[in-house]
Amino acid sequence: MFWGPWSSRRDLDLTPCFERGVIVPALNLLFVALAVYRIRTLQRTYRLPSASTKTTAYWIKLVLSSVIACLAFAELAHLGLRRSGGLRRFNVFIASQLLQTIAYSLAVRLHHYEHTRTRRSSDILLLFWLTSLVVGLLTLRTDRQTSRPSSAKHPIVWALRYSTAAAMAALFAAELWPRKVAEYVLLDDDNDLVASGAPEDEANIFSRLTFSWMSPLLVMGQHKQIREGDLWALPGQVAPLNVAERFGDHWQNELDQSTPARQPSLVRALWRTMGWPFALAGLFKLIQDVLQFSQPVLLSRLIGFVASYATDHPQP
């Protein structure tokens, strides 16, 4: 086997061993770790009645994710039987397919918890299905170019892989589709029974990254002057009442745990209330400042490099 990562037979391409032995397992291991943590977190949150959450969209997601898991198991069984007539040769391809089957099976469970306990599309599932689809198409293209396995001898494998890719695309679209807000007005990110009415609370990760959830407000601003009544409420996580309640709880914990050797700390209470969002914003601000400072430095070096060729000693 040639681990690569770059193929010696095809230009700018990865080897099959690197794709299925490194990229695919790394993706699935990361998802399994995040999914287990997310499921344990959601198990402690409030669950809405089944009549309001187990809608058509819920069953579509569960059916598609179950189909993907079954297809992965079928390919695992076919791969194991094709290797010397059984699972005696447990190589990296079988191990990778086994891990992929486990990840897909865990995704079925995560779909259930995300749809019945949150208001917006799952960030983990959206990124996982999109990345899995891209990686799956990449490995599919590589297997087509190398004819491994032969489509004439093993048509079942290719049917399973094409079906998996189609089901992934459909499931990604289903998870991306916005939910009916009326079914989730009781939940917020901290399991408080309030409804902020802020579009950001229902926006998926791609909408938040591109700020497309602000499009209705921007369109309104093109046609009329925006007034205070046109603005949305703050997201539940930063709403003043919720922040004040969380800070009160953390400060009370500081008072309850205070001893002569450990005095109550206002800094600790503030950090536990809003520390991580501000720390992340500070990190992004630092990156922006560094990039903003490096731009004129790089431009100066580039001008100096070009200008050196007009002299007798050009830079290499």
Side-chain angles (χ1 to χ4, degrees), residues 273-295:
T273 304
M274 293 294 294
W276 284 112
F278 277 91
L280 184 61
L283 176 62
F284 289 150
K285 177 60 177 175
L286 176 62
I287 295 175
Q288 179 192 5
D289 292 342
V290 171
L291 294 177
Q292 189 174 5
F293 174 77
S294 62
Q295 181 179 358

Side-chain angles (χ1 to χ4, degrees), residues 27 31-32 34-35 38-39 42 61-62 65 68 103-116 118 120-133 168 171-176 179 204-206:
L27 171 63
F31 172 75
V32 168
L34 293 176
R38 181 63 174 168
I39 289 175
L42 292 175
K61 294 176 185 179
L62 248 62
S65 56
I68 293 174
Y104 292 166
S105 302
L106 192 61
V108 180
R109 191 67 174 168
L110 183 57
H111 270 290
H112 165 73
Y113 282 107
E114 289 284 1
H115 198 89
T116 56
T118 60
R120 65 189 179 199
S121 301
S122 171
D123 298 343
I124 297 177
L125 288 171
L126 281 175
L127 293 176
F128 174 66
W129 291 126
L130 178 61
T131 310
S132 296
L133 179 60
M168 279 186 185
L171 183 55
F172 174 74
E175 184 65 27
L176 193 63
R179 304 179 186 177
N204 59 54
I205 185 172
F206 302 113

Side-chain angles (χ1 to χ4, degrees), residues 10-59:
R10 301 179 307 279
D11 296 334
L12 298 177
D13 202 356
L14 301 174
T15 62
C17 294
F18 184 77
E19 291 177 354
R20 295 195 174 274
V22 178
I23 297 179
V24 174
L27 171 63
N28 291 318
L29 279 175
L30 178 61
F31 172 75
V32 168
L34 293 176
V36 170
Y37 173 78
R38 181 63 174 168
I39 289 175
R40 295 185 62 181
T41 301
L42 292 175
Q43 285 176 339
R44 298 190 296 266
T45 60
Y46 176 81
R47 181 177 60 182
L48 286 176
S50 301
S52 60
T53 56
K54 292 187 178 180
T55 58
T56 303
Y58 169 82
W59 292 112

